[in-house]
Amino acid sequence: AAATLHNLASNAALLPALSKAGVPDALESLVRIQGTCSICAILALAELTGAEEGGEGEHLASSDPILSTIVQELDRRIAAPPATGDHSRTARLQELVGTRKLLSALHVLASRLDTKLRLLDEDILQVLTTALEDKRTDPGGTLHAVSIILHLAFESTCRQVLSTSSTLLGLLRNVAGSSDPQPEMVAAKGVANALLYMVLQLELDPPRALRGDPRVVTLMMHDSDAGVGKLVRNHLSSRNVLLWRSDDLLVSGSFDEAL
């Protein structure tokens, strides 16, 4: 039953009907059945409520066992040796898609206040480090991975880990310096740059204008969003909120030179 629901959930055209029929509620029960059934149910939930589907993660976040099982399954997939043999290319593609869907689900959970710390307790940063280091994700999965870290970085405990982890910082620099033209990697590059700036600059030495003033907003954006950024800046400025932009301090040269 769980495998069938997973197959149905993989069809984007069926997602609205499945949600309306209450399938996510049924999958919550199936997740608690250990083994293959749990894995199929988790993947189906990831299809139904992940970030790529605009989900909010309410079913994924309903209990600690579900969240723990998602992280464990992601860890298992990343640690498993790559597929080999006659059908290795197809199997590899399936592995990457499955991993991306799990990361999509965790992306939703990382954006929720009630699940951030639970993810950190599950040692999610180590799992993501392995995924990025061993290149066990496709560009979409990489975008989800760095986005998860960015969401978690708003917790001081996560920033402390990031600022002292040379391995993870090195991986984020690799993403930030990527020349891959695929849209997902371009987006991941922007997120990684913002994350590095947040961890290495604002945490260690915030600009003097930001210290002690609770009415300060830091705006970081991609160049293509300059029009939206201007609207945000005007809106906040009209309400006497100090807006500090990352590009106020940027100089010519590489991002590290700008820092």
Side-chain angles (χ1 to χ4, degrees), residues 65-187:
I66 293 179
L67 185 148
S68 298
T69 307
I70 295 172
V71 177
Q72 290 167 11
E73 173 59 15
L74 177 63
D75 191 28
R76 185 194 70 79
R77 283 172 171 264
I78 291 172
T84 58
D86 295 338
H87 303 289
S88 60
R89 184 173 182 180
T90 300
R92 171 65 172 162
L93 179 60
Q94 291 175 335
E95 290 174 356
L96 291 174
V97 171
T99 299
R100 188 182 76 239
K101 290 297 183 178
L102 290 173
L103 287 167
S104 171
L106 292 174
H107 185 176
V108 173
L109 293 174
S111 67
R112 294 171 60 105
L113 291 175
D114 58 335
T115 46
K116 285 180 189 288
L117 293 178
R118 286 160 60 190
L119 280 175
L120 289 173
D121 290 340
E122 293 291 337
D123 204 16
I124 187 61
L125 289 178
Q126 181 56 52
V127 177
L128 295 175
T129 297
T130 304
L132 293 172
E133 190 171 30
D134 295 345
K135 295 181 172 58
R136 300 304 296 270
T137 68
D138 59 10
T142 299
L143 174 57
H144 287 308
V146 294
S147 297
I148 291 168
I149 299 171
L150 179 62
H151 281 298
L152 297 177
F154 284 93
E155 298 293 334
S156 59
T157 52
C158 178
R159 291 198 301 276
Q160 291 170 5
V161 172
L162 283 173
S163 63
T164 58
S165 175
S166 58
T167 300
L168 188 49
L169 287 175
L171 293 170
L172 290 172
R173 285 193 177 96
N174 288 341
V175 175
S178 172
S179 58
D180 191 327
Q182 296 182 75
E184 295 88 349
M185 282 304 298
V186 173

